[in-house]
């Protein structure tokens, strides 16, 4: 029974150690000391670590010399830029002597708070990716609708262009028919006018007068008018 209990505890301790090592590897970074302020218990490190943007003020940071990995010092973030990290070391003298740190020393660093920050950032990135996927799908849908509007507009323009051409053809046909009717009416008018002139000429030619005497109106007195 004791053997199984010991084996369980040993296996659990190995798994916890492996998990810790894995998490530590994902949040472990390095830096070189560029300045030391013993009175203020501050050290400034030059870093090239993109995930340093997740470090916040007062986050706990452990650092050690790669020559003595078992000797670690505790510090807290006082400030950060994209290239530098400012750490406050509470037990300054003990830590500096323990890790043999000086200006130019190369150190390894680890922050459990950075691990939490990266975890939150990863969760946020997962949410943002889902939103990005949804927005991308929405963008594609609207882009497709916009493209379809252009196609529909082209189809509508073609349709009404055909209708316009048909209407213009019918318009020209109607105008031609009206012109033809006008020509025929004019020809019939001229023909009828010619026949009417001929008829009037014949009427004048064959007209019979009702009397052959004419009135002589040389006299001023109407009583003296007479026919001759």
């Amino acid at each position: 029974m004791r053997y199984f209990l010991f084996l369980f505890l040993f296996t659990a301790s190995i798994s916890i150690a492996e998990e810790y090592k894995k998490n530590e590897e994902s949040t472990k970074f390095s830096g070189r000391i560029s300045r030391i302020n013993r009175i203020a218990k501050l050290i400034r490190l030059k870093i090239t670590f993109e995930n340093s943007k997740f470090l916040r003020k007062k986050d706990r940071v452990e650092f050690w010399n790669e020559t003595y990995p078992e000797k670690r010092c505790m510090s807290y973030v006082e400030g950060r830029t994209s290239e530098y990290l400012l750490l406050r070391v509470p037990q300054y003298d003990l830590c500096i002597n323990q890790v043999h740190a000086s200006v130019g020393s190369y150190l390894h660093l680890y922050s459990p708070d950075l691990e939490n920050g990266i975890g939150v950032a990863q969760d946020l990135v997962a949410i943002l990716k889902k939103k990005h996927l949804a927005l991308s799908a929405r963008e594609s849908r609207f882009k497709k609708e916009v493209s379809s509007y252009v196609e529909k507009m082209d189809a509508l323009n073609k349709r009404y262009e055909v209708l316009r051409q048909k209407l213009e053809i019918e318009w020209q046909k109607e105008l031609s028919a009206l012109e033809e009717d006008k020509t025929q009416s004019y020809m019939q008018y001229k023909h009828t006018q010619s026949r009417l002139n001929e008829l009037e000429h014949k009427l004048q030619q064959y007209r019979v007068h009702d009397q052959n005497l004419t009135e002589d109106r040389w006299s001023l007195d109407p009583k003296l008018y007479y026919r001759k």
Side-chain angles (χ1 to χ4, degrees):
M1 184 67 178
R2 290 181 179 179
Y3 173 76
F4 286 109
L5 180 60
F6 173 77
L7 182 62
F8 174 77
L9 292 175
F10 179 74
T11 305
S13 62
I14 292 177
S15 62
I16 293 173
E18 289 180 350
E19 183 179 358
Y20 175 80
K21 184 177 180 181
K22 181 179 179 182
N23 292 335
E24 183 177 294
E25 288 297 327
S26 64
T27 56
K28 187 171 71 174
F29 58 102
S30 61
R32 192 174 297 276
I33 299 177
S34 63
R35 189 173 180 178
I36 293 178
N37 189 330
R38 183 173 182 178
I39 298 175
K41 298 182 179 182
L42 297 174
I43 61 173
R44 187 181 70 181
L45 296 98
K46 180 75 166 59
I47 58 174
T48 54
F49 180 53
E50 293 184 358
N51 287 336
S52 64
K53 61 187 177 182
F54 299 112
L55 283 171
R56 298 170 298 177
K57 190 174 182 179
K58 296 184 179 181
D59 280 355
R60 182 163 60 94
V61 177
E62 300 174 9
F63 63 89
W64 63 93
N65 193 315
E66 61 180 343
T67 307
Y68 308 101
E70 71 281 357
K71 297 179 180 180
R72 296 191 176 193
C73 282
M74 192 70 63
S75 64
Y76 297 91
V77 176
E78 284 293 321
R80 176 191 59 80
T81 66
S82 59
E83 296 181 353
Y84 291 95
L85 183 63
L86 185 63
L87 299 177
R88 180 176 57 84
V89 186
Q91 299 178 349
Y92 178 81
D93 294 329
L94 178 63
C95 284
I96 292 300
N97 293 329
Q98 187 176 1
V99 300
H100 303 283
S102 61
V103 175
S105 296
Y106 183 78
L107 301 177
H108 288 279
L109 302 98
Y110 163 75
S111 172
D113 296 321
L114 174 62
E115 180 180 336
N116 295 331
I118 291 177
V120 173
Q122 288 175 341
D123 294 338
L124 181 60
V125 167
I127 295 173
L128 292 177
K129 283 184 177 180
K130 291 180 180 179
K131 290 185 176 180
H132 183 274
L133 182 62
L135 287 175
S136 297
R138 186 178 182 183
E139 180 192 22
S140 299
R141 178 167 59 85
F142 285 126
K143 183 178 180 180
K144 186 176 180 181
E145 288 183 1
V146 171
S147 300
S148 66
Y149 285 140
V150 174
E151 294 176 358
K152 289 177 181 178
M153 186 177 295
D154 291 340
L156 188 63
N157 288 335
K158 290 180 181 179
R159 176 187 174 189
Y160 277 95
E161 177 63 21
V162 172
L163 292 175
R164 187 189 65 80
Q165 292 177 357
K166 289 183 177 180
L167 183 61
E168 187 172 353
I169 291 172
E170 292 181 1
W171 179 31
Q172 293 298 328
K173 285 174 65 176
E174 292 292 334
L175 288 177
S176 299
L178 285 175
E179 189 68 27
E180 185 177 354
D181 291 343
K182 175 186 173 183
T183 302
Q184 290 181 358
S185 296
Y186 181 76
M187 291 178 63
Q188 291 177 0
Y189 162 71
K190 296 302 289 185
H191 179 68
T192 304
Q193 187 181 39
S194 176
R195 290 185 61 187
L196 183 60
N197 290 335
E198 291 179 358
L199 183 60
E200 288 181 351
H201 177 70
K202 289 182 179 181
L203 286 173
Q204 290 293 333
Q205 184 179 3
Y206 297 104
R207 181 177 181 181
V208 177
H209 294 276
D210 56 350
Q211 58 181 0
N212 294 322
L213 298 176
T214 60
E215 292 183 349
D216 186 4
R217 298 187 179 183
W218 63 270
S219 177
L220 296 178
D221 189 359
K223 295 179 180 180
L224 299 177
Y225 289 169
Y226 62 93
R227 296 180 183 274
K228 62 177 181 178

